[in-house]
Amino acid sequence: MKMPDFVYHRPESLTEALDLLGRHAGEAKVLAGGQSLLPVMALRLSQPRHVVDLDRVTELAELAPGPSGGVTVGAMVRHADVERSELVARSAPLLARTVKLIGHPAIRNRGTPCGSLAHADPAAELPALALATGAEIVVRSATRERVLTAADFFVSFLTTALEPDEMVVEVRFPAPGPRTGGSVREVSRRHGDFALVGVCCSVTLAEDGTVSGAALAYFGVDSTPVRAEGAERRLVGSVLDAATAAAAAREAAQELEPGDDLHATATYRRHVAEQLTRRALVEAADRAGGAA
């Protein structure tokens, strides 16, 4: 399908890009990797009159240590940059594992983590990862900067808290604490497809081996990524063995409210979510130093 008509802008700096967004607020879209925006434009799901290409805004291409550990990923850092980064592998290992599940190498070579977050597809991996890890999403306009949690950023299907004159400039993934392990699991119809169901899991163990903190964030089951907060609370204080993981997985699956569609029924999604959660909890506990 042919693209709708639009005015193409290629700013040389972030200041210029933000000025363009401000002048064309409500009529402009930001182009980073194009792996999300261009398909929806081709399908006429989005018809911006102005497209602001960030390819020359090199100040947004920084992948750096975070202010309190972890990593800061600029808006023009590619998935492939994250995938190959020793800094990410060392400081945000769950991010390193998650990004490998995104699409195919050709998609990861052009697509960006910040673009994935801004697109807010509920079946994508990174929004759920941001929710599970407590990532901070930094957005800017020509006049202000805001730092949002993932819980506040994702509003509904393909909808975020971004104002028309704002863009995501970076995302900050925190470093995992001591004795913290993570796991990401998903099921898709074909390799590289969006997930039918997926879970990002983080587990922190106390010195006595009991769970002191847990996060279970799901993708592909609702209009935004969601957490199973009841199951998370029940895990705290427990010894995370196989039986505890199975019980928590059952509870977490019951908290979810997926819908039926052409690809899967709600019953199937809950069943798969339960199995993925059980395996993810065991894996995360093992990486945290437990004996699940």
Side-chain angles (χ1 to χ4, degrees), residues 104-182:
H104 301 280
I107 290 173
R108 297 196 294 273
N109 283 339
R110 291 298 302 169
T112 65
C114 288
S116 178
L117 296 174
H119 185 56
D121 193 310
E125 295 86 355
L126 290 181
L129 176 69
L131 186 62
T133 59
E136 294 180 332
I137 300 165
V138 183
V139 305
R140 284 185 60 182
S141 69
T143 59
R144 67 172 178 169
E145 176 178 292
R146 295 192 293 153
V147 181
L148 302 176
T149 65
D152 291 332
F153 184 75
F154 300 110
V155 174
S156 185
F157 181 72
L158 303 184
T159 304
T160 71
L162 281 171
E163 298 293 340
D165 62 342
E166 291 179 326
M167 60 175 280
V168 177
V169 294
E170 66 183 32
V171 56
R172 301 167 183 166
F173 290 97
R179 295 176 61 83
T180 296

Side-chain angles (χ1 to χ4, degrees), residues 176-197:
R179 295 176 61 83
T180 296
S183 176
V184 57
R185 299 271 180 148
E186 69 176 37
V187 166
S188 58
R189 296 186 67 184
R190 296 169 299 184
H191 172 68
D193 282 1
F194 279 112
L196 296 176
V197 185

Side-chain angles (χ1 to χ4, degrees), residues 188-289:
S188 58
R189 296 186 67 184
R190 296 169 299 184
H191 172 68
D193 282 1
F194 279 112
L196 296 176
V197 185
V199 60
C200 289
C201 169
S202 176
V203 171
T204 301
L205 300 180
E207 289 298 326
D208 63 0
T210 60
V211 176
S212 61
L216 294 167
Y218 294 85
F219 49 106
V221 298
D222 212 323
S223 60
T224 65
V226 293
R227 286 182 60 167
E229 295 180 348
E232 292 172 357
R233 288 192 295 269
R234 190 173 295 273
L235 281 166
V236 174
S238 68
V239 175
L240 187 47
D241 55 19
T244 303
R250 284 193 298 271
E251 180 173 348
Q254 290 306 308
E255 290 186 55
L256 304 179
E257 298 181 357
D260 298 327
D261 58 29
L262 293 174
H263 305 293
T265 65
T267 300
Y268 174 80
R269 283 191 164 96
R270 282 199 187 94
H271 173 72
V272 173
E274 179 180 339
Q275 302 310 312
L276 295 180
T277 303
R278 177 178 57 81
R279 297 170 190 175
L281 283 168
V282 169
E283 185 172 54
D286 180 64
R287 288 173 173 157

Side-chain angles (χ1 to χ4, degrees), residues 32-119:
Q35 303 305 294
S36 300
L37 177 63
L38 297 184
V40 298
M41 288 178 62
L43 292 170
R44 299 302 198 273
L45 298 176
S46 179
Q47 299 187 54
R49 295 185 60 183
H50 299 265
V51 172
V52 181
D53 187 349
L54 301 180
D55 193 55
R56 292 182 178 174
V57 185
T58 56
E59 63 199 276
L60 294 177
E62 185 176 16
L63 180 60
S68 302
V71 294
T72 296
V73 182
M76 287 306 294
V77 174
R78 312 288 180 182
H79 295 310
D81 299 327
V82 174
E83 184 179 7
R84 294 190 291 259
S85 169
E86 293 183 4
L87 170 65
V88 174
R90 182 176 64 251
S91 301
L94 190 53
L95 171 60
R97 296 186 187 102
T98 302
V99 78
K100 296 178 188 297
L101 299 176
I102 297 172
H104 301 280
I107 290 173
R108 297 196 294 273
N109 283 339
R110 291 298 302 169
T112 65
C114 288
S116 178
L117 296 174
H119 185 56

